Amino acid sequence: MSSRYFKYALMDYLPKRFLGHASFEAQEDSRHILDFKAGRRYAVELASKRIGKALSLMDMKDTIIVCIPASCQQTYTRRFRTFSANVCAMTGAINGFDHIKVIGKREKVHICGEHAAEDNVWIDTDFFQGKRILIIDDIYTTGKTSEAFCEKMEQAGAHVRMAMFLAKTKQFKKRQQQLN
């Protein structure tokens, strides 16, 4: 899939193995993101405010916000129902949450390593046909999950214009040891 749309992450996410050496701010950001993924109310409210503020200067009235589905409907609902409603209320966007359903359960991508996020997802194609879409997810690591979902949305007739993430996983390269 080509990058025909703009991608933006609000902050960096540090995997747990790096947090011991991170700044206080980086530790707080990572904790907030993990708490958001767990559906903790304060973190959902904070994430809604951050995304809403970032989108506040854009004209969102004809844009549908769609959150990338989680591994099951329960997790998707816990993580994104209130978040999506809050962001739409703040920005004037249309809430697409009820037009995406996760059917059954799939392995979590970070566990199985496969980016088949679209395999167990129902999309209301009548609702999304010809509409402008803003995709939102929590963490961007490789981009494969968002690319697969955006492609699925475009196959459903939607026009993906932007993908926004709470955070992008900070990548660290292993230091090369020089042998002399």
Side-chain angles (χ1 to χ4, degrees):
M1 170 157 171
S2 66
S3 295
R4 295 179 299 230
Y5 53 90
F6 182 70
K7 298 175 193 163
Y8 183 75
L10 294 177
M11 61 187 110
D12 287 332
Y13 166 73
L14 293 174
K16 288 181 181 180
R17 66 185 177 274
F18 298 118
L19 286 178
H21 303 289
S23 69
F24 176 76
E25 291 82 7
Q27 289 178 23
E28 281 294 293
D29 285 346
S30 293
R31 184 176 59 83
H32 288 150
I33 292 162
L34 292 175
D35 286 350
F36 173 82
K37 289 177 77 65
R40 291 194 171 82
R41 188 177 308 155
Y42 91 92
V44 169
E45 294 295 325
L46 181 61
S48 301
K49 288 177 184 174
R50 285 181 173 177
I51 293 283
K53 184 177 179 181
L55 295 173
S56 66
L57 297 177
M58 295 175 64
D59 179 8
M60 300 293 293
K61 69 178 178 180
D62 293 325
T63 301
I64 300 172
I65 289 181
V66 178
C67 299
I68 294 179
S71 59
C72 68
Q73 186 65 33
Q74 181 181 5
T75 302
Y76 182 54
T77 299
R78 182 181 64 236
R79 196 175 292 167
F80 290 117
R81 177 183 297 275
T82 301
F83 169 83
S84 187
N86 290 351
V87 171
C88 289
M90 292 173 70
T91 63
I94 301 162
N95 191 347
F97 180 84
D98 290 329
H99 299 277
I100 302 286
K101 300 284 184 238
V102 181
I103 302 162
K105 214 171 191 174
R106 67 167 164 75
E107 273 296 319
K108 296 176 181 176
V109 173
H110 69 276
I111 293 173
C112 70
E114 294 182 23
H115 299 273
E118 72 279 2
D119 289 349
N120 68 329
V121 174
W122 171 82
I123 298 172
D124 182 348
T125 55
D126 292 336
F127 179 77
F128 290 110
Q129 185 67 37
K131 304 284 179 40
R132 185 169 58 179
I133 307 296
L134 166 68
I135 302 290
I136 298 178
D137 202 8
D138 45 25
I139 300 174
Y140 178 98
T141 301
T142 65
K144 291 181 182 178
T145 300
S146 63
E147 288 173 10
F149 184 70
C150 288
E151 191 170 301
K152 183 80 168 178
M153 289 300 298
E154 289 177 350
Q155 289 171 357
H159 300 292
V160 177
R161 296 293 181 232
M162 182 176 174
M164 190 167 206
F165 306 89
L166 290 176
K168 180 178 185 324
T169 301
K170 184 138 175 87
Q171 302 291 336
F172 294 96
K173 297 185 190 240
K174 292 182 181 179
R175 293 183 183 179
Q176 298 290 330
Q177 291 183 350
Q178 294 180 342
L179 300 175
N180 292 341

